[in-house]
């Protein structure tokens, strides 16, 4: 078994309105950052898990996203896995 870290990035789908992103974009514009063309807000989750290999760790993290961490109707997610410790 090895220990892996899964970085999960969850964002609203492009077709879903993002009021938080619009608010952040507006605030940054008022602070002088007028060059922002678009901004989407999301969430970042770190998961440390033990698995036989990286593929298994990624599959388990994706199941976690499908079951709880992301709403598949309105959100997309991306999982990046790296090995952090081999036992």
């Amino acid at each position: 078994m090895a220990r892996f870290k899964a970085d999960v990035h969850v964002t609203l789908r492009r077709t879903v309105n993002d009021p938080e992103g619009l608010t952040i974009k507006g605030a940054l514009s008022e602070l002088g950052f007028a060059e922002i063309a678009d901004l989407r807000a999301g969430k970042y989750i770190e998961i440390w898990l033990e698995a036989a290999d990286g593929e298994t760790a990624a599959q388990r993290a994706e199941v976690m996203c499908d079951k709880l961490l992301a709403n598949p109707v309105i959100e997309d997610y991306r999982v990046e896995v790296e090995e952090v410790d081999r036992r």
Side-chain angles (χ1 to χ4, degrees), residues 13-29:
R13 293 180 181 235
R14 294 305 256 164
T15 57
V16 176
N17 187 30
D18 182 3
E20 183 179 12
L22 291 172
T23 299
I24 295 168
K25 180 180 180 252
L28 287 171
S29 179

Side-chain angles (χ1 to χ4, degrees), residues 3 5 7 23-24 37-38 40 43 46 49 55 57-58 60 66-67 79-80 84:
R3 179 169 284 197
K5 179 179 164 232
D7 294 329
T23 299
I24 295 168
D38 193 16
R40 306 286 289 178
K43 58 187 170 186
E46 293 179 343
L49 63 154
E55 184 175 329
R60 295 300 290 162
D66 290 336
K67 291 188 176 234
V79 176
E80 299 168 355
V84 292

Side-chain angles (χ1 to χ4, degrees), residues 25-54:
K25 180 180 180 252
L28 287 171
S29 179
E30 288 181 20
L31 290 172
F33 299 100
E35 67 270 19
I36 298 173
D38 193 16
L39 188 145
R40 306 286 289 178
K43 58 187 170 186
Y44 169 71
I45 303 162
E46 293 179 343
I47 305 168
W48 284 267
L49 63 154
E50 293 183 358
D53 54 51

